[in-house]
Amino acid sequence: MANKIVNQIKKIFQSQLAIPIVALLVLVIFNLIRDPGFFSIMIKKNNLGNTVLAGNLISILNGASELVILSIGMTLITSATKGQDISIGASAAIAGSVFVKILRLGNINAATILFALIFACIVAILFCLLNGVLIAKFNIQPMIASLILYTAGRPIAYWINGGATPNVESPLLTYIGGFIPHIAVPTPILVVVIFVILINLLLKKTTLGLYIQSVGINERAAKLNGINPIMMKMIVFVILGICVTMAGSMNVCRIGLINHETILLDIEMDAILAVAIGGNSLAGGKFKLSGSILGAYIIQALTITLYAMKVSSTAVKAYKAIVIIIIVVAGSPVVKEWIKGLKNKLLEKSANTANAVVEAK
């Protein structure tokens, strides 16, 4: 049994999850040394008098919710198109603006929220498919194609609500962005868990995940095997549309308003980094969603750590950049090859030493 556990641990650390797991362990150990109670979970009453869970660990899991969802979409885009969509923050702003626009047309109830979510999802999918057409049909580089929506997306979101930053108030929205009564875990965490389960079922129980990776690895070979590369790329942009809608709507529910300038600002950079930190190749092909999800939580854990160390908000990005560069470089093929070569040299040296001892005897 012990050998089996050891072998499993070795297998994990030899996989692409090695870098994110090590990075997460380093963050955990650092915080426990700095503050032994950093990850403690507290039970307290919120403003509505409900018993809820609180603490840095809950803040990390809760605060990373939008990033986790967008990182999943970014992973699929990267895998299929061999590039990144840098307009997901702008697309989320559009989806959030449409969501608010519909909610403000009448009384906010469960049916209105569901309709607003569906309508926002349709609009977001259409905008994402615009990128998809440019990339899949016209073979424009993903980053260049998405630069159009990156530039125009937030002004479009601004226009949707007539140049205003309207607020929306409803207990139901508070429940979605905060806590459901008698449930101590923040709702965004529950939403992420459900979404991750559904997306995994979609990718694992169908051939979609395999087809997406096949297109990313070798588009021509995939086409010869009966896979339609254009269709696969359009599908991942549909999934991305769902992701940006969930992220944008969730953020609106958290703060109770839509601000096209600040909603999920720079989230695309964090999503790309989450994919990279998770050990996924930014050149497309094979992917591991668990790596990107871990990468998203690492980024959020790093942010919370820096704030806990009293680092100013203006300096947080600089510190994050330094740490993330170290993580990404450590997981680069060059460093991996160097470590592999060093390991082989050490093993060879050990074998030579052992042979010398045997011959001496």
Side-chain angles (χ1 to χ4, degrees), residues 196-217:
V196 169
I197 291 171
L198 290 176
I199 201 74
N200 268 296
L201 287 174
L202 176 66
L203 297 175
K204 295 291 175 65
K205 298 299 181 182
T206 69
T207 55
L208 183 61
L210 178 63
Y211 285 1
I212 290 171
Q213 292 181 91
S214 299
V215 169
I217 293 168

Side-chain angles (χ1 to χ4, degrees), residues 61-312:
L61 296 175
N62 187 23
S65 298
E66 289 95 334
L67 180 55
V68 169
I69 291 170
L70 291 175
S71 297
I72 289 171
M74 186 67 80
T75 303
L76 298 179
I77 292 294
T78 300
S79 175
T81 68
K82 302 179 182 179
Q84 291 72 48
D85 187 322
I86 62 170
S87 66
I88 58 173
S91 300
I94 293 172
S97 291
V98 173
F99 183 66
V100 169
K101 183 76 172 180
I102 300 297
L103 289 178
R104 288 176 61 84
L105 294 177
N107 294 325
I108 299 176
N109 52 42
T112 309
I113 293 171
L114 181 60
F115 176 73
L117 194 62
I118 292 171
F119 194 79
C121 191
I122 292 170
V123 172
I125 287 172
L126 289 175
F127 275 100
C128 288
L129 282 176
L130 173 63
N131 287 343
V133 169
L134 293 174
I135 294 165
K137 196 69 178 174
F138 296 95
N139 294 321
I140 298 174
Q141 190 178 1
M143 194 166 286
I144 301 301
S146 58
L147 185 61
I148 300 167
L149 190 55
Y150 173 81
T151 305
R154 293 186 185 275
I156 291 171
Y158 180 74
W159 169 78
I160 288 170
N161 282 294
T165 55
N167 65 315
V168 282
E169 295 181 1
S170 167
L172 289 176
L173 296 178
T174 304
Y175 298 157
I176 296 170
F179 291 86
I180 298 172
H182 311 301
I183 297 179
V185 179
T187 309
I189 296 177
L190 301 177
V191 172
V192 167
V193 170
I194 294 169
F195 183 75
V196 169
I197 291 171
L198 290 176
I199 201 74
N200 268 296
L201 287 174
L202 176 66
L203 297 175
K204 295 291 175 65
K205 298 299 181 182
T206 69
T207 55
L208 183 61
L210 178 63
Y211 285 1
I212 290 171
Q213 292 181 91
S214 299
V215 169
I217 293 168
N218 191 322
E219 189 171 320
R220 187 179 177 185
K223 194 172 182 177
L224 290 172
N225 281 282
I227 301 171
N228 188 335
I230 294 176
M231 180 61 69
M232 287 301 106
K233 290 177 184 179
M234 300 305 278
I235 287 173
V236 295
F237 277 101
V238 169
I239 295 173
L240 182 64
I242 297 169
C243 291
V244 299
T245 302
M246 290 184 63
S249 302
M250 189 186 297
N251 195 263
V252 167
C253 293
R254 281 186 192 274
I255 61 178
L257 57 85
I258 178 70
N259 187 327
H260 72 284
E261 290 183 344
T262 59
I263 181 172
L264 301 176
L265 188 64
D266 297 329
I267 194 74
E268 42 276 303
M269 298 303 110
D270 282 346
I272 294 169
L273 286 170
V275 175
I277 292 171
N280 296 297
S281 171
L282 295 182
K286 192 174 180 181
F287 66 85
K288 209 172 187 66
L289 284 184
S290 54
S292 297
I293 293 168
L294 267 176
Y297 285 121
I298 288 168
I299 291 171
Q300 186 64 24
L302 179 58
T303 303
I304 296 293
T305 300
L306 291 170
Y307 281 132
M309 294 171 66
K310 309 298 181 185
V311 175
S312 65

